[in-house]
Amino acid sequence: MVAPTVTDDDPSLSGGDWTESGVFRVAEGVYRIPLPLPNDGLRAVNVYAVADERGGDPGWTLVDSGWALEEARDLLEKAMRALGSDLREVRRFLVTHSHRDHYTQAVTVRRDFGTEVLIGAGERVNLERVIDPDHAESQNSVPRLRRAGAAALADAMERAGRDHVRDMSGWLLPDGYLEDRSTVVVGETRTLEVIETPGHTRGHVVFADEANDLLFAGDHVLPRITPSIGLEPVPTGSPLSAFLASLQLVRERPDAALLPAHGPVGRRVHERVDELLAHHGARLDASLAAVREGRHTPYLVAQALPWTRRNHALADLDRWNAMLAILETQHHLEVLVERGALTRTEHENVLHYDLV
């Protein structure tokens, strides 16, 4: 594996591969470190190293941490060496949410060096559930798929879940929880404001550095794709409503350079938020049209919609992404119920949506 080098020439700014290994300076004292993920969809996660020198003592705060994988750990260690440092000088991790690709490497680094791990207060219930040894990852998705009318997919997910052995190495509680609108002082001049942005998960947070025109956006605002909604062990009632409100909240704040967890840098927050709001508006319209055509369950509505940027049919998706698609469709239908366009009933444990 080639050791990463520090450069101002970020390939993602010129249309290059944003997952390319390296250490890329994106602002004064802020470096993007892409770390690999073990799947074909999201191939990397951006970890941001923020200089955190105090009283002449060098140090770093890292926003997100990556997945606890040997390859990712090796690259993170090499990245810190390229910055003239090492993992012992990482003071803390600020984690945007509790998904494995953002949280678990922080826990394994803490095990070795005592590094502080902080996350939004809203993620407490998710983490307490996921570290429960009796919790199975399929416990939420399988019954929700059945209620969405996707019994065959639920059966397949249940069978796969029985054969799955959970890796618990990265699942421990954090050192502390960050409250909404609290501030984190980094170094002697930088202040990050913690902004709760529920939707992707109930406790997702972003970190706003207004003085330096930056937003560490996690998965809340992604430059090329839309994040999954409500994918968590303790789901909320209407995560899409929460996500849309969170987008609007960010839109009403000062604009900033977008520093996303997945995808290239170089975009502005307001521009991308407008695109995401328009996207979900179009999905709501398409979901309502599908109900008008006689499709009344989330599964049947999802079959009528195109998926991913390549407009795949639902049947072309793998099990995991088909699950995400069907549950996201249900979230859109729930918003339409909230807005008075549809009604919801339940027949034989399957949800049905009808025109008002």
Side-chain angles (χ1 to χ4, degrees):
M1 183 181 298
V2 178
T5 58
V6 179
T7 177
D8 290 340
D9 184 21
D10 192 321
S12 71
L13 286 170
S14 57
D17 183 2
W18 70 271
T19 70
E20 177 184 324
S21 297
V23 183
F24 305 104
R25 181 182 177 277
V26 294
E28 183 66 33
V30 182
Y31 300 85
R32 184 177 72 88
I33 305 171
L35 297 179
L37 300 177
N39 49 48
D40 295 330
L42 290 176
R43 295 184 293 127
V45 59
N46 292 322
V47 172
Y48 294 95
V50 186
D52 194 355
E53 182 177 331
R54 304 178 191 177
D57 293 329
W60 298 89
T61 287
L62 268 55
V63 178
D64 287 329
S65 71
W67 191 310
L69 302 167
E70 183 177 346
E71 180 184 7
R73 174 65 174 262
D74 184 52
L75 271 176
L76 183 59
E77 289 175 344
K78 290 176 177 176
M80 296 311 298
R81 286 199 293 272
L83 288 168
S85 184
D86 59 40
L87 286 178
R88 289 172 296 184
E89 292 185 347
V90 175
R91 301 182 187 277
R92 62 192 162 192
F93 289 95
L94 303 178
V95 184
T96 58
H97 62 293
S98 60
H99 283 167
R100 186 185 298 270
D101 56 326
H102 296 254
Y103 184 75
T104 55
Q105 185 151 250
V107 172
T108 59
V109 171
R110 179 181 66 181
R111 189 175 295 136
D112 293 335
F113 302 109
T115 317
E116 186 179 36
V117 178
L118 302 173
I119 196 169
E123 292 292 70
R124 181 193 292 266
V125 293
N126 279 331
L127 286 168
E128 290 176 347
R129 177 66 61 83
V130 81
I131 67 172
D132 182 345
D134 295 326
H135 171 72
E137 293 177 354
S138 61
Q139 283 178 349
N140 289 316
S141 58
V142 168
R144 291 168 70 190
L145 284 170
R146 294 196 193 286
R147 293 187 77 218
L153 179 58
D155 290 343
M157 297 287 286
E158 188 171 41
R159 288 192 297 270
R162 284 197 293 265
D163 297 332
H164 177 64
V165 178
R166 294 179 66 205
D167 177 9
M168 298 298 295
S169 59
W171 294 116
L172 292 171
L173 293 178
D175 296 288
Y177 294 96
L178 300 165
E179 297 293 338
D180 183 33
R181 307 309 170 97
S182 62
T183 57
V184 179
V185 178
V186 181
E188 297 177 348
T189 60
R190 190 186 303 270
T191 299
L192 304 181
E193 185 178 6
V194 180
I195 309 296
E196 278 190 356
T197 50
H200 180 58
T201 66
R202 61 166 58 219
H204 191 290
V205 296
V206 301
F207 300 99
D209 182 358
E210 286 192 21
N212 294 290
D213 189 40
L214 302 173
L215 183 74
F216 299 90
D219 283 4
H220 182 55
V221 182
L222 298 175
R224 292 181 175 173
I225 61 175
T226 59
S228 60
I229 303 298
L231 181 63
E232 53 192 335
V234 186
T236 59
S238 185
L240 180 57
S241 285
F243 179 65
L244 296 175
S246 297
L247 287 176
Q248 192 61 47
L249 170 67
V250 170
R251 184 63 174 82
E252 292 168 357
R253 293 178 59 85
D255 199 7
L258 175 61
L259 299 182
H262 306 284
V265 297
R267 301 202 62 181
R268 301 291 295 178
V269 171
H270 284 183
E271 173 193 30
R272 182 54 181 157
V273 166
D274 288 344
E275 292 174 357
L276 289 168
L277 289 170
H279 164 80
H280 283 287
R283 298 299 276 190
L284 289 166
D285 290 344
S287 299
L288 183 60
V291 174
R292 286 198 184 102
E293 294 169 358
R295 298 173 181 268
H296 298 291
T297 68
Y299 174 58
L300 293 176
V301 172
Q303 288 181 321
L305 303 176
W307 294 99
T308 79
R309 290 183 295 158
R310 296 174 177 82
N311 292 325
H312 289 304
L314 181 69
D316 295 333
L317 304 180
D318 60 34
R319 279 199 307 254
W320 176 260
N321 285 296
M323 175 197 72
L324 294 179
I326 293 164
L327 296 183
E328 181 173 310
T329 300
Q330 182 177 330
H331 299 324
H332 282 89
L333 294 171
E334 285 296 317
V335 169
L336 290 168
V337 171
E338 293 167 11
R339 294 181 179 181
L342 296 178
T343 61
R344 180 200 339 103
T345 55
E346 190 165 345
H347 305 293
E348 298 180 347
N349 297 319
V350 175
L351 297 172
H352 290 257
Y353 297 85
D354 293 280
L355 297 174
V356 171

